Amino acid sequence: MFLTHLECSACGRQHDWSRLQNLCAACQKPLFAIVDLAAVSRTVKRETLAAREKSLWRYREVLPLTDGVEPVSLGEGGTPLLRAQKFGGDVDLWVKDESLNPTQSFKARGMSVAVSMAKYLGAEKLAVPSAGNAGGALAAYAARAGLDAHIFMPRDTPRANIIECRELGAHVTLIDGLITDCAAEIARRKEEEGWFDMSTLKEPYRVEGKKTLGYELVEQLGWQLPDVILYPTGGGTGLIGMWKAFTEMESLGWISKKRPRMFAVQATGCSPIVRAFEAGEKTAAEFRNAHTIASGLRVPKAIGDFLILKLLHQSNGGAVAVDDEEMIRTMREVGSKEGLFVCPEAAACFAALKLLQRPGKIAPGERVVIFNTGAGIKYLDCYESQ
Ligand SMILES: *Cc1c(COP(=O)(O)O)cnc(C)c1O
Ligand SMILES: [Zn+2]
């Protein structure tokens, strides 16, 4: 293993990886796992990866977990990168179909790595707030690891997510409120209950799992970076993870300096990052009365807001909001044109592509990647009122 220590993403203070850690002890901001990239580059060449298992654990050298320890795995990662046939018009559009992960969403990536580390470091009871797919993923990996999962969900979370968590053996508590209220409930009780908080970016390893989106995408594109990435942004873990992956890959000598323009796509009814980006702010204020059918985007306050906003600026990208009706309409358009029943979060990205193409913010011929972060079939509730 090449993990050396944890480092605060805000104040830079170092922390020991070998015991369970949540936020920076000094400033309460997210911790990043730091890997000895010079040693990795001496050990593994990018070409050797091709022969390995089709799973995110093929990138084992840049992931945490001590050598010889078996990861908690259900076959996550290794998802197809599909070329869009009709939707993109004159852009070169690709879809990374993350709905083929265990529990049908890319949350599996983060949870495989985070649960592997939590188990290794001795956690027994894991807790997470979830408005959608994070709960199911934690429930599955905790079950696989033989650990307890305690999941707090807003009462209006899609039924499929709630049932999935229960059937996977998790303790599910429904809360009248938003994901932020669920997080507050965990924070209030975790000490007494002995829960380890698995909230996104409040422990260092879910983002390590999500960074494999970046490694895998670039490997599938023949070690080239796309021009644009459209990412449905809730907590922003995938954006932050991919940005970290690109930095690491450049240090490894696996890619050039080029970076994609990164766009955060949110729902009009919950768009704190879009609002902050447009106002030129460095952090995003809590979004009041958040509501959207895209439950993965229903995050009124993200702890990594400053990291998201920084990378959007650095990449020369942006932030776009799409309303719920447009998402539902676009789900059908993508379904009928591409044969993919995408989640509403991803549908928002397809709609955002059109919004960006019109004023020429994405030019003809540019290579664009959209992440279908989850399966549309989990959102049947969206159709009851139709
Ligand atoms: C969680 C989730 C998102 C948001 O992901 P972040 O990395 O937390 O921004 C998007 N889409 C789906 C389907 C999700 O479950
Ligand atoms: Zn700090």
Side-chain angles (χ1 to χ4, degrees):
M1 183 184 71
F2 297 94
L3 174 67
T4 56
H5 63 281
L6 303 173
E7 194 174 283
C8 177
S9 59
C11 76
R13 181 172 154 155
Q14 297 199 358
H15 293 65
D16 180 7
W17 70 263
S18 69
R19 60 185 191 85
L20 288 168
Q21 301 268 10
N22 285 112
L23 296 170
C24 172
C27 75
Q28 303 299 309
K29 294 285 191 258
L31 297 174
F32 279 165
I34 306 299
V35 174
D36 182 351
L37 295 167
V40 173
S41 72
R42 286 192 298 271
T43 308
V44 59
K45 297 281 164 271
R46 65 183 197 187
E47 289 73 24
T48 47
L49 297 170
R52 293 189 180 176
E53 62 180 323
K54 219 172 135 206
S55 138
L56 64 80
W57 292 101
R58 77 202 262 125
Y59 307 107
R60 179 96 187 219
E61 286 86 350
V62 292
L63 292 172
L65 202 61
T66 304
D67 296 347
V69 177
E70 201 53 38
V72 181
S73 174
L74 292 162
E76 52 291 325
T79 59
L81 179 66
L82 304 167
R83 182 179 220 144
Q85 300 296 305
K86 293 185 191 146
F87 190 95
D90 56 15
V91 304
D92 178 24
L93 178 62
W94 295 76
V95 184
K96 180 97 173 114
D97 192 3
E98 289 292 301
S99 71
L100 281 98
N101 274 300
T103 67
Q104 291 82 53
S105 91
F106 73 156
K107 292 291 195 298
R109 291 184 187 262
M111 288 302 182
S112 177
V113 177
V115 172
S116 294
M117 282 302 280
K119 180 178 183 180
Y120 178 69
L121 297 176
E124 287 170 0
K125 300 175 187 172
L126 310 177
V128 81
S130 171
N133 290 309
L138 178 68
Y141 286 92
R144 189 81 179 172
L147 306 177
D148 279 354
H150 296 266
I151 298 167
F152 290 77
M153 305 179 112
R155 199 169 291 281
D156 59 356
T157 298
R159 251 168 61 79
N161 298 116
I162 298 172
I163 296 169
E164 177 183 40
C165 291
R166 290 200 176 119
E167 295 305 309
L168 287 164
H171 305 271
V172 179
T173 309
L174 299 180
I175 301 269
D176 293 304
L178 294 167
I179 190 165
T180 34
D181 301 304
C182 296
E185 184 68 6
I186 292 175
R188 197 174 62 77
R189 292 174 55 191
K190 65 181 180 187
E191 205 77 44
E192 188 186 325
E193 304 277 359
W195 295 336
F196 182 63
D197 190 346
M198 298 285 280
S199 301
T200 194
L201 288 165
K202 289 188 188 165
E203 65 74 55
Y205 302 116
R206 280 176 66 182
V207 71
E208 290 300 292
K210 287 270 188 93
K211 88 180 177 188
T212 63
L213 287 170
Y215 279 90
E216 210 173 285
L217 173 66
V218 172
E219 189 186 356
Q220 284 172 316
L221 289 174
W223 304 103
Q224 301 293 312
L225 288 147
D227 298 305
V228 174
I229 285 177
L230 299 176
Y231 183 85
T233 306
T237 319
L239 275 178
I240 295 166
M242 279 192 277
W243 198 247
K244 184 173 188 281
F246 298 151
T247 309
E248 290 178 1
M249 278 188 272
E250 189 185 339
S251 301
L252 289 166
W254 292 2
I255 60 168
S256 69
K257 273 196 167 18
K258 177 182 163 171
R259 293 291 180 274
R261 307 201 299 286
M262 311 285 276
F263 285 87
V265 180
Q266 298 199 299
T268 311
C270 183
S271 46
I273 298 296
V274 179
R275 207 183 251 180
F277 185 83
E278 284 171 355
E281 276 158 16
K282 289 204 168 78
T283 60
E286 179 163 346
F287 198 95
R288 303 262 161 220
N289 301 317
H291 61 89
T292 168
I293 54 159
S295 46
L297 306 185
R298 215 187 290 147
V299 181
K301 174 76 189 161
I303 189 168
D305 57 354
F306 67 105
L307 297 168
I308 301 169
L309 288 161
K310 194 162 70 182
L311 77 87
L312 296 181
H313 279 290
Q314 283 178 346
S315 77
N316 205 16
V320 184
V322 173
D323 69 38
D324 283 15
E325 288 86 82
E326 188 63 13
M327 287 182 215
I328 293 278
R329 207 194 55 67
T330 308
M331 281 168 85
R332 178 169 297 182
E333 188 183 344
V334 176
S336 58
K337 284 186 172 164
E338 303 294 339
L340 295 168
F341 185 18
V342 298
C343 60
E345 292 86 348
C349 295
F350 283 90
L353 171 62
K354 289 189 182 176
L355 290 174
L356 291 164
Q357 276 175 296
R358 235 166 274 147
K361 287 192 178 162
I362 296 179
E366 285 199 299
R367 177 167 285 177
V368 179
V369 175
I370 287 176
F371 288 87
N372 178 34
T373 44
I377 201 82
K378 280 198 178 176
Y379 297 77
L380 296 181
D381 318 36
C382 296
Y383 295 88
E384 276 164 13
S385 59
Q386 296 292 299

